Amino acid sequence: MRALLVEDDEMIGASLMHALGGAGWSVDWVRDGLLAHSALADGGYTCVLLDLGLPKQDGTEVLRRARSRGDATPVLVLTARDGLDDRIQTLDLGADDYLLKPFALRELLARMRAVVRRRDGAAHSVIGTPALQLDLTTRDVTVNGVREALTAREFALLHALLERPGAILSREQLEDRIYGWGDEVTSNAIDVLIHGMRRKLGAEAIRNVRGLGWRVVPA
């Protein structure tokens, strides 16, 4: 899964990049509000971690502009502003959750999973089809009743496909969901990843639609 981190504090940003990467997230990090606006306009993010006190453009304005153009990407605000009015304003502008600094990494990850579940319309941490179910908490997949462990990139790819079973995702769309800005992506990276997943999940788990991309059969 791919997250946009908007944080101007170098120490906090570097720490979150390391921690989220270890938890299986691909993270793009920007340090001011104008860069955040540009990154969000490009799209492709599973969720956004947004500080409020940013250079060049305040986080509340980043949020307001994103929601005004119809961007529904889940936004989790991370801030030291603990006033009631700040929380109310941010939530009313369209933030999905609000977490005060300092915070525990485990709580942050749990809240990220929660906002993604709400976006997917799922009350529980499992999404998918009757034959193929992905647990967003453990990052395991169950195939016809058999549980399998996934690598971070396998999990990101399968999560993208299972958000809307049956929908076709192109190579470019999958690359956007799996890889961050600093990752080197070879021309056949998606093919290699899907080939390995088919060996693990079965040849029919992920189907190619010639010339368009890949999909998971909804039933």
Side-chain angles (χ1 to χ4, degrees), residues 53-76:
L54 298 169
K56 299 185 180 179
Q57 188 175 95
D58 193 73
T60 55
E61 179 62 14
V62 173
L63 179 60
R64 187 196 65 77
R65 293 178 67 181
R67 295 305 191 230
S68 67
R69 68 170 181 268
D71 188 336
T73 307
V75 174
L76 174 54

Side-chain angles (χ1 to χ4, degrees), residues 191-210:
D191 304 84
V192 171
L193 188 57
I194 289 177
H195 177 73
M197 293 187 69
R198 282 173 170 161
R199 292 179 61 185
K200 183 179 292 187
L201 306 179
E204 296 300 311
I206 300 173
R207 296 186 184 179
N208 178 251
V209 181
R210 188 175 297 275

Side-chain angles (χ1 to χ4, degrees), residues 1-5 25-30 35-36 38-49 71-74 116 119 163 176-177 179-181:
M1 296 185 289
R2 188 178 176 201
L4 176 64
L5 172 62
W25 285 85
S26 176
V27 186
D28 296 334
W29 178 18
V30 296
L35 288 176
S38 297
L40 280 170
D42 290 338
Y45 294 105
T46 307
C47 76
V48 180
L49 303 179
D71 188 336
T73 307
V116 171
R119 181 202 61 176
E163 285 178 346
D176 284 345
R177 290 294 302 272
Y179 300 100
W181 293 338

